[in-house]
Coordinates of all heavy atoms in Angstrom, one line a residue:
M23 N 58.1 210.6 118.6 CA 58.2 209.8 117.4 C 59.2 208.6 117.6 O 60.3 208.8 118.1 CB 58.7 210.7 116.3 CG 59.1 209.9 115.0 SD 58.2 210.3 113.5 CE 57.2 211.6 113.9
K24 N 58.7 207.4 117.1 CA 59.6 206.3 117.3 C 60.8 206.4 116.3 O 60.6 206.9 115.2 CB 58.8 205.0 116.9 CG 57.9 204.5 118.1 CD 57.4 203.2 117.7 CE 55.9 203.1 117.8 NZ 55.3 202.0 117.2
K25 N 61.9 205.8 116.7 CA 63.1 205.8 115.9 C 62.8 205.0 114.7 O 62.1 203.9 114.8 CB 64.3 205.3 116.6 CG 65.0 206.3 117.3 CD 66.4 205.8 117.7 CE 67.3 207.0 118.0 NZ 68.5 206.6 118.6
G26 N 63.3 205.4 113.5 CA 63.2 204.6 112.3 C 61.9 204.8 111.6 O 61.7 204.3 110.5
V27 N 60.9 205.6 112.2 CA 59.7 205.9 111.5 C 59.9 207.1 110.6 O 60.2 208.2 111.1 CB 58.5 206.1 112.5 CG1 57.3 206.5 111.8 CG2 58.3 204.9 113.3
K28 N 59.7 206.9 109.3 CA 59.8 208.1 108.4 C 58.6 209.0 108.5 O 57.5 208.5 108.6 CB 60.0 207.6 107.0 CG 61.4 207.0 106.8 CD 61.6 206.7 105.3 CE 62.8 205.9 105.1 NZ 63.0 205.4 103.8
R29 N 58.8 210.3 108.4 CA 57.7 211.2 108.4 C 57.9 212.2 107.3 O 59.0 212.4 106.8 CB 57.5 211.9 109.8 CG 58.7 212.7 110.1 CD 58.5 213.5 111.4 NE 57.4 214.4 111.3 CZ 57.4 215.6 110.8 NH1 58.5 216.0 110.3 NH2 56.4 216.4 110.8
M30 N 56.8 212.8 106.9 CA 56.8 213.8 105.9 C 57.1 215.2 106.5 O 56.8 215.4 107.7 CB 55.5 213.9 105.1 CG 55.1 212.7 104.4 SD 56.0 212.5 102.9 CE 55.2 211.1 102.2
S31 N 57.7 216.1 105.7 CA 57.9 217.4 106.2 C 57.9 218.3 105.0 O 57.8 217.9 103.8 CB 59.2 217.6 106.9 OG 60.3 217.6 106.0
F32 N 58.0 219.6 105.2 CA 58.1 220.5 104.1 C 59.6 220.5 103.6 O 60.5 220.2 104.3 CB 57.7 221.9 104.5 CG 56.2 222.1 104.4 CD1 55.4 221.6 105.3 CD2 55.7 222.9 103.3 CE1 54.0 221.7 105.3 CE2 54.3 223.0 103.2 CZ 53.4 222.5 104.2
V33 N 59.8 220.8 102.3 CA 61.1 220.7 101.6 C 61.3 221.9 100.8 O 60.4 222.4 100.1 CB 61.1 219.4 100.7 CG1 62.4 219.4 99.9 CG2 60.9 218.1 101.5
I34 N 62.6 222.4 100.9 CA 62.9 223.6 100.1 C 63.7 223.1 98.9 O 64.7 222.4 99.0 CB 63.8 224.6 100.9 CG1 63.1 225.0 102.2 CG2 64.2 225.8 100.1 CD1 64.0 225.9 103.1
T35 N 63.2 223.5 97.7 CA 63.7 223.0 96.4 C 64.8 223.9 95.9 O 65.2 224.9 96.5 CB 62.6 222.8 95.4 OG1 61.9 224.0 95.2 CG2 61.6 221.7 95.9
S36 N 65.3 223.6 94.7 CA 66.5 224.3 94.2 C 66.3 225.8 93.8 O 67.3 226.5 93.7 CB 67.0 223.5 92.9 OG 66.0 223.7 91.9
A37 N 65.1 226.3 93.7 CA 64.9 227.7 93.5 C 65.6 228.5 94.6 O 66.0 229.7 94.3 CB 63.5 228.0 93.4
C38 N 65.8 228.0 95.7 CA 66.4 228.7 96.8 C 67.9 228.9 96.6 O 68.4 229.9 97.1 CB 66.2 227.9 98.1 SG 66.9 228.7 99.6
I39 N 68.5 228.1 95.8 CA 69.9 228.3 95.6 C 70.3 229.7 95.1 O 71.3 230.3 95.5 CB 70.5 227.2 94.6 CG1 70.3 225.8 95.3 CG2 71.9 227.4 94.3 CD1 70.6 224.6 94.4
H40 N 69.4 230.2 94.2 CA 69.7 231.5 93.6 C 69.0 232.6 94.3 O 69.3 233.8 94.1 CB 69.3 231.5 92.1 CG 70.2 230.5 91.4 ND1 71.5 230.7 91.2 CD2 69.8 229.4 90.7 CE1 72.0 229.6 90.5 NE2 71.0 228.8 90.2
E41 N 68.0 232.3 95.2 CA 67.2 233.3 95.9 C 67.8 233.6 97.3 O 68.2 234.7 97.6 CB 65.8 232.9 96.0 CG 64.9 233.9 96.7 CD 64.8 235.2 96.0 OE1 65.0 235.3 94.8 OE2 64.5 236.2 96.8
Q42 N 67.8 232.6 98.1 CA 68.3 232.7 99.5 C 67.7 233.9 100.3 O 68.5 234.5 101.0 CB 69.8 232.7 99.5 CG 70.4 231.5 98.8 CD 71.9 231.6 98.8 OE1 72.6 232.5 99.4 NE2 72.6 230.5 98.2
A43 N 66.4 234.2 100.1 CA 65.8 235.3 100.8 C 65.8 235.1 102.3 O 66.0 236.0 103.1 CB 64.4 235.5 100.3
G44 N 65.6 233.9 102.7 CA 65.6 233.6 104.2 C 64.5 234.0 105.0 O 64.5 234.0 106.2
I45 N 63.4 234.5 104.3 CA 62.2 234.9 105.1 C 61.6 233.7 105.8 O 61.0 233.9 106.9 CB 61.1 235.5 104.1 CG1 61.8 236.6 103.3 CG2 59.9 236.0 104.9 CD1 60.9 237.1 102.1
C46 N 61.7 232.6 105.3 CA 61.2 231.3 105.9 C 61.8 231.1 107.3 O 61.1 230.7 108.2 CB 61.5 230.1 105.0 SG 63.3 230.0 104.6
V47 N 63.1 231.5 107.4 CA 63.7 231.3 108.7 C 63.0 232.2 109.8 O 62.8 231.7 110.9 CB 65.2 231.7 108.6 CG1 65.9 231.6 110.0 CG2 65.9 230.8 107.6
D48 N 62.6 233.4 109.4 CA 62.0 234.3 110.4 C 60.6 233.8 110.8 O 60.2 234.2 111.9 CB 61.9 235.7 109.7 CG 63.3 236.3 109.5 OD1 64.2 235.9 110.1 OD2 63.4 237.1 108.5
V49 N 59.9 233.1 109.9 CA 58.5 232.8 110.2 C 58.4 231.4 110.8 O 57.3 231.1 111.4 CB 57.6 232.9 109.0 CG1 57.6 234.3 108.5 CG2 57.9 231.9 107.9
C50 N 59.4 230.6 110.7 CA 59.3 229.2 111.3 C 59.2 229.2 112.8 O 60.0 229.7 113.5 CB 60.5 228.4 110.9 SG 60.4 226.7 111.5
P51 N 58.1 228.7 113.3 CA 57.8 228.7 114.8 C 58.7 227.8 115.6 O 58.8 227.9 116.8 CB 56.4 228.3 114.9 CG 56.1 227.5 113.7 CD 56.9 228.0 112.6
V52 N 59.4 226.8 114.9 CA 60.2 225.9 115.7 C 61.7 226.0 115.3 O 62.5 225.1 115.7 CB 59.7 224.4 115.5 CG1 58.3 224.3 116.2 CG2 59.7 224.0 114.0
D53 N 62.0 227.1 114.5 CA 63.4 227.3 114.2 C 64.1 226.1 113.6 O 65.2 225.7 114.0 CB 64.3 227.8 115.4 CG 63.8 229.1 115.9 OD1 63.4 229.9 115.0 OD2 63.9 229.4 117.1
C54 N 63.4 225.5 112.6 CA 64.0 224.2 112.0 C 64.6 224.5 110.6 O 64.9 223.5 109.9 CB 63.0 223.1 112.0 SG 61.6 223.3 110.9
I55 N 64.7 225.7 110.2 CA 65.3 226.0 108.9 C 66.7 226.6 109.1 O 66.9 227.6 109.8 CB 64.4 227.0 108.1 CG1 63.0 226.5 108.0 CG2 65.0 227.2 106.7 CD1 62.0 227.4 107.3
V56 N 67.7 226.0 108.4 CA 69.1 226.5 108.5 C 69.7 226.6 107.1 O 69.1 226.1 106.2 CB 69.9 225.5 109.3 CG1 69.4 225.2 110.7 CG2 70.1 224.1 108.6
F57 N 70.7 227.4 107.1 CA 71.4 227.5 105.8 C 72.4 226.3 105.7 O 73.3 226.1 106.5 CB 72.2 228.8 105.7 CG 72.6 229.1 104.2 CD1 71.7 229.5 103.3 CD2 73.9 228.8 103.9 CE1 72.1 229.7 102.0 CE2 74.3 229.0 102.5 CZ 73.4 229.5 101.6
G58 N 72.3 225.5 104.6 CA 73.1 224.4 104.4 C 74.4 224.8 103.6 O 75.0 225.8 103.9
D59 N 74.7 224.0 102.6 CA 75.9 224.3 101.8 C 75.7 225.5 100.8 O 76.5 226.3 100.5 CB 76.4 223.1 101.1 CG 76.9 222.0 102.1 OD1 77.4 222.4 103.1 OD2 76.6 220.8 101.8
D60 N 74.5 225.4 100.2 CA 74.2 226.4 99.1 C 72.8 226.9 99.1 O 72.4 227.6 98.2 CB 74.6 225.8 97.7 CG 73.8 224.5 97.4 OD1 73.0 224.1 98.3 OD2 74.0 224.0 96.4
Q61 N 72.0 226.5 100.1 CA 70.6 226.9 100.2 C 70.0 226.7 101.6 O 70.7 226.0 102.4 CB 69.7 226.2 99.2 CG 69.6 224.7 99.5 CD 68.5 224.0 98.8 OE1 68.8 223.4 97.7 NE2 67.3 224.0 99.3
F62 N 68.9 227.2 101.8 CA 68.2 226.9 103.1 C 67.6 225.5 103.1 O 67.2 225.1 102.0 CB 67.2 228.0 103.5 CG 67.7 229.3 103.9 CD1 67.9 230.3 102.9 CD2 68.2 229.5 105.2 CE1 68.5 231.5 103.3 CE2 68.8 230.7 105.5 CZ 68.9 231.7 104.6
L63 N 67.6 224.9 104.2 CA 67.1 223.5 104.3 C 66.2 223.4 105.6 O 66.5 224.0 106.6 CB 68.3 222.5 104.5 CG 69.3 222.4 103.3 CD1 70.5 221.7 103.7 CD2 68.6 221.8 102.1
I64 N 65.2 222.5 105.4 CA 64.3 222.3 106.6 C 64.7 221.0 107.2 O 64.8 219.9 106.6 CB 62.8 222.2 106.1 CG1 62.4 223.6 105.5 CG2 61.9 221.7 107.2 CD1 61.1 223.6 104.8
D65 N 64.8 221.0 108.6 CA 65.1 219.8 109.3 C 63.8 218.9 109.4 O 62.9 219.3 110.1 CB 65.6 220.2 110.7 CG 66.0 218.9 111.5 OD1 65.7 217.8 111.1 OD2 66.7 219.2 112.6
P66 N 63.8 217.8 108.7 CA 62.6 216.9 108.7 C 62.3 216.4 110.1 O 61.1 216.0 110.3 CB 63.0 215.8 107.8 CG 64.2 216.2 107.1 CD 64.9 217.2 107.9
N67 N 63.2 216.3 111.0 CA 63.0 215.8 112.3 C 62.2 216.8 113.1 O 61.5 216.4 114.1 CB 64.3 215.5 113.0 CG 65.1 214.4 112.4 OD1 64.6 213.4 112.2 ND2 66.3 214.7 112.1
R68 N 62.3 218.1 112.8 CA 61.7 219.1 113.7 C 60.5 219.8 113.1 O 59.8 220.5 113.8 CB 62.8 220.1 114.1 CG 63.9 219.3 114.9 CD 65.0 220.3 115.3 NE 64.5 221.5 116.0 CZ 65.0 222.7 115.9 NH1 66.0 222.9 115.1 NH2 64.5 223.7 116.5
C69 N 60.4 219.8 111.7 CA 59.3 220.5 111.1 C 58.0 220.0 111.6 O 57.7 218.8 111.7 CB 59.4 220.3 109.6 SG 58.0 221.0 108.6
I70 N 57.1 220.9 111.9 CA 55.7 220.6 112.4 C 54.7 220.7 111.3 O 53.5 220.7 111.6 CB 55.3 221.4 113.7 CG1 55.4 222.9 113.4 CG2 56.3 221.0 114.8 CD1 54.8 223.7 114.5
D71 N 55.1 220.9 110.1 CA 54.2 221.0 108.9 C 53.1 222.1 109.0 O 52.0 221.9 108.6 CB 53.5 219.6 108.7 CG 54.4 218.5 108.5 OD1 55.6 218.7 108.2 OD2 54.0 217.3 108.7
C72 N 53.6 223.2 109.6 CA 52.6 224.3 109.7 C 52.3 225.1 108.4 O 51.3 225.7 108.2 CB 53.1 225.3 110.8 SG 54.5 226.3 110.3
G73 N 53.3 225.0 107.5 CA 53.1 225.6 106.2 C 53.5 227.1 106.1 O 53.3 227.7 105.1
A74 N 53.9 227.7 107.2 CA 54.2 229.1 107.3 C 55.3 229.5 106.3 O 55.2 230.5 105.6 CB 54.6 229.6 108.7
C75 N 56.3 228.7 106.2 CA 57.4 229.0 105.3 C 57.0 229.0 103.8 O 57.4 229.8 103.0 CB 58.5 228.0 105.5 SG 58.0 226.3 105.3
E76 N 56.1 228.1 103.5 CA 55.7 227.9 102.1 C 55.0 229.2 101.6 O 55.2 229.6 100.5 CB 54.7 226.7 102.0 CG 54.1 226.5 100.6 CD 53.0 225.5 100.7 OE1 52.3 225.3 101.7 OE2 52.8 224.8 99.6
T77 N 54.2 229.8 102.5 CA 53.4 231.0 102.0 C 54.3 232.2 101.9 O 53.9 233.1 101.1 CB 52.3 231.3 103.0 OG1 52.8 231.5 104.3 CG2 51.3 230.1 103.1
V78 N 55.4 232.3 102.5 CA 56.2 233.5 102.4 C 57.4 233.4 101.4 O 58.0 234.4 101.1 CB 56.8 234.0 103.8 CG1 55.7 234.3 104.8 CG2 57.8 232.9 104.4
C79 N 57.7 232.3 100.9 CA 58.8 232.1 100.0 C 58.6 232.9 98.7 O 57.6 232.6 98.0 CB 59.1 230.7 99.7 SG 60.4 230.4 98.5
P80 N 59.4 233.9 98.4 CA 59.2 234.7 97.2 C 59.4 234.0 95.9 O 58.9 234.5 94.8 CB 60.2 235.8 97.3 CG 61.3 235.2 98.2 CD 60.7 234.3 99.1
V81 N 60.0 232.8 95.9 CA 60.2 232.1 94.6 C 59.5 230.7 94.6 O 59.7 229.9 93.8 CB 61.7 231.9 94.3 CG1 62.3 233.2 94.0 CG2 62.4 231.2 95.5
E82 N 58.6 230.6 95.6 CA 57.7 229.3 95.7 C 58.6 228.1 95.6 O 58.3 227.2 94.9 CB 56.7 229.3 94.6 CG 55.7 230.5 94.7 CD 54.6 230.5 93.7 OE1 54.5 229.6 92.9 OE2 53.8 231.4 93.7
A83 N 59.7 228.1 96.4 CA 60.6 227.0 96.4 C 60.2 225.9 97.4 O 60.8 224.8 97.4 CB 62.0 227.5 96.8
I84 N 59.2 226.2 98.2 CA 58.9 225.2 99.3 C 57.6 224.5 99.1 O 56.5 225.0 98.7 CB 58.8 226.0 100.7 CG1 60.1 226.8 100.9 CG2 58.5 225.0 101.8 CD1 60.1 227.7 102.1
Y85 N 57.7 223.2 99.2 CA 56.5 222.3 99.0 C 56.5 221.3 100.1 O 57.5 220.9 100.8 CB 56.8 221.4 97.7 CG 56.9 222.2 96.5 CD1 58.1 222.8 96.1 CD2 55.8 222.3 95.6 CE1 58.1 223.5 94.9 CE2 55.8 223.0 94.4 CZ 57.0 223.6 94.1 OH 57.1 224.2 92.9
F86 N 55.2 220.8 100.4 CA 55.1 219.6 101.2 C 55.7 218.4 100.5 O 55.7 218.3 99.3 CB 53.6 219.3 101.5 CG 53.4 218.2 102.6 CD1 54.0 218.3 103.8 CD2 52.7 217.1 102.3 CE1 53.8 217.3 104.8 CE2 52.6 216.1 103.2 CZ 53.1 216.2 104.5
E87 N 56.4 217.6 101.3 CA 57.2 216.5 100.7 C 56.5 215.7 99.6 O 57.1 215.5 98.5 CB 57.7 215.6 101.8 CG 58.7 214.5 101.3 CD 59.3 213.8 102.4 OE1 59.4 214.3 103.6 OE2 59.8 212.7 102.2
E88 N 55.3 215.4 99.9 CA 54.5 214.6 98.9 C 54.2 215.4 97.6 O 53.9 214.8 96.6 CB 53.1 214.2 99.5 CG 53.1 212.8 99.9 CD 51.7 212.4 100.4 OE1 50.9 213.3 100.7 OE2 51.5 211.2 100.6
E89 N 54.3 216.7 97.7 CA 53.9 217.5 96.5 C 55.2 218.1 95.8 O 55.0 218.9 94.8 CB 53.0 218.6 97.0 CG 51.7 218.1 97.4 CD 50.9 219.0 98.3 OE1 51.4 220.2 98.5 OE2 49.8 218.6 98.8
V90 N 56.3 217.7 96.2 CA 57.6 218.2 95.5 C 57.5 217.7 94.0 O 57.3 216.5 93.8 CB 58.8 217.7 96.2 CG1 60.1 217.9 95.4 CG2 58.9 218.3 97.6
P91 N 57.7 218.6 93.1 CA 57.7 218.2 91.7 C 58.8 217.1 91.4 O 59.9 217.1 92.1 CB 58.1 219.5 90.9 CG 57.7 220.6 91.8 CD 57.9 220.0 93.2
A92 N 58.5 216.2 90.5 CA 59.5 215.1 90.3 C 60.9 215.6 89.9 O 61.9 215.0 90.4 CB 58.9 214.2 89.1
K93 N 61.0 216.6 89.2 CA 62.3 217.1 88.8 C 63.1 217.7 90.0 O 64.3 218.0 89.9 CB 62.2 218.1 87.7 CG 61.5 219.4 88.0 CD 61.4 220.3 86.8 CE 60.5 221.5 86.9 NZ 60.8 222.6 87.7
E94 N 62.4 217.9 91.1 CA 63.0 218.4 92.3 C 63.2 217.4 93.4 O 63.5 217.7 94.5 CB 62.2 219.6 92.9 CG 62.2 220.8 92.0 CD 63.5 221.6 92.0 OE1 64.3 221.3 92.9 OE2 63.8 222.4 91.1
S95 N 63.0 216.1 93.0 CA 63.0 215.1 94.1 C 64.4 215.0 94.8 O 64.5 214.6 95.9 CB 62.6 213.7 93.5 OG 63.5 213.4 92.5
A96 N 65.4 215.4 94.1 CA 66.8 215.4 94.8 C 66.8 216.3 96.0 O 67.6 216.1 96.9 CB 67.8 215.8 93.8
S97 N 65.9 217.3 96.0 CA 65.9 218.2 97.2 C 65.5 217.5 98.5 O 65.9 217.9 99.6 CB 64.9 219.4 96.9 OG 65.4 220.1 95.8
I98 N 64.6 216.5 98.3 CA 64.2 215.7 99.5 C 65.4 215.0 100.1 O 65.6 215.1 101.3 CB 63.1 214.7 99.1 CG1 61.9 215.5 98.5 CG2 62.7 213.9 100.3 CD1 60.8 214.6 97.9
L99 N 66.1 214.3 99.2 CA 67.3 213.6 99.7 C 68.3 214.5 100.2 O 69.0 214.2 101.3 CB 67.9 212.8 98.5 CG 68.9 211.7 98.8 CD1 68.3 210.7 99.8 CD2 69.4 211.1 97.5
K100 N 68.5 215.7 99.6 CA 69.5 216.7 100.1 C 69.3 217.0 101.5 O 70.2 217.1 102.4 CB 69.4 217.9 99.2 CG 70.5 218.9 99.4 CD 70.3 220.0 98.3 CE 71.4 221.0 98.3 NZ 71.2 222.0 97.2
A101 N 68.0 217.3 101.9 CA 67.7 217.7 103.2 C 67.8 216.5 104.2 O 68.4 216.7 105.3 CB 66.3 218.3 103.3
K102 N 67.4 215.4 103.8 CA 67.5 214.2 104.6 C 68.9 213.8 104.9 O 69.3 213.5 106.0 CB 66.7 213.0 104.0 CG 65.2 213.2 104.1 CD 64.5 212.0 103.6 CE 63.0 212.3 103.9 NZ 62.1 211.2 103.4
E103 N 69.8 213.9 103.9 CA 71.2 213.6 104.1 C 71.9 214.7 105.0 O 72.6 214.3 105.9 CB 71.9 213.6 102.7 CG 71.6 212.3 102.0 CD 72.4 212.2 100.7 OE1 72.9 213.3 100.2 OE2 72.4 211.1 100.1
Y104 N 71.5 215.9 104.8 CA 72.1 217.0 105.6 C 71.8 216.8 107.1 O 72.6 217.0 108.0 CB 71.6 218.4 105.1 CG 72.3 219.5 105.8 CD1 73.5 220.0 105.3 CD2 71.8 220.1 107.0 CE1 74.2 221.1 105.9 CE2 72.4 221.2 107.6 CZ 73.6 221.6 107.1 OH 74.2 222.7 107.7
F105 N 70.5 216.4 107.4 CA 70.1 216.2 108.8 C 70.2 214.8 109.3 O 69.8 214.5 110.4 CB 68.7 216.8 108.9 CG 68.6 218.2 108.8 CD1 68.1 218.8 107.6 CD2 69.0 219.1 109.7 CE1 68.0 220.1 107.4 CE2 68.9 220.5 109.6 CZ 68.4 221.0 108.4
G106 N 70.8 213.9 108.5 CA 71.0 212.5 108.9 C 69.8 211.7 109.1 O 69.7 210.8 109.9
V107 N 68.7 212.0 108.2 CA 67.5 211.3 108.3 C 67.6 210.2 107.3 O 67.9 210.4 106.1 CB 66.3 212.2 108.0 CG1 65.0 211.4 107.9 CG2 66.2 213.3 109.0
A108 N 67.2 209.0 107.7 CA 67.3 207.8 106.8 C 66.3 207.9 105.7 O 65.3 208.5 105.8 CB 67.1 206.5 107.6
Ligands
LIG205 FE1 59.0 225.6 109.9 FE2 56.4 225.3 109.5 FE3 58.0 225.5 107.4 FE4 58.0 223.3 108.9 S1 56.3 224.0 107.7 S2 59.8 224.4 108.2 S3 57.6 224.1 111.0 S4 57.6 227.1 109.0

């Protein structure tokens, strides 16, 4: 991937803050989910958009970036800031 090119990835929204089940970490084939300050976060640089995490989340906190509900849009920025993505 060229530097400076933005790409979409899956995003974990705020429902994770109170759940923190972490099953997503176990199923991610590229180990790109880490625990941030108060919830699990997906590294947008490494996510391969396989969708495995989305299907196992018990609180349906995970969405493809384009499908994140408007009220959860801060979650997109939260992950990008954590991983230093512009
Ligand atoms: Fe990992 Fe796939 Fe989820 Fe991306 S979509 S975080 S690669 S399990």
Side-chain angles (χ1 to χ4, degrees):
M23 170 121 4
K24 279 192 234 164
K25 269 196 163 170
V27 176
K28 286 188 187 170
R29 61 175 300 277
M30 297 282 186
S31 75
F32 276 75
V33 175
I34 304 177
T35 59
S36 66
C38 181
I39 294 173
H40 298 295
E41 178 63 25
Q42 300 180 3
I45 305 166
C46 53
V47 176
D48 296 333
V49 301
C50 179
V52 293
D53 292 330
C54 70
I55 305 176
V56 303
F57 192 79
D59 297 325
D60 58 359
Q61 67 166 93
F62 287 95
L63 297 168
I64 294 171
D65 184 344
N67 294 307
R68 299 178 53 214
C69 174
I70 58 170
D71 301 340
C72 71
C75 56
E76 180 189 25
T77 58
V78 298
C79 179
V81 292
E82 298 181 3
I84 306 176
Y85 297 82
F86 187 57
E87 186 171 336
E88 253 184 351
E89 293 161 2
V90 170
K93 65 182 169 69
E94 292 288 344
S95 59
S97 299
I98 300 171
L99 192 60
K100 187 175 188 177
K102 287 185 174 175
E103 284 182 346
Y104 187 86
F105 292 104
V107 176

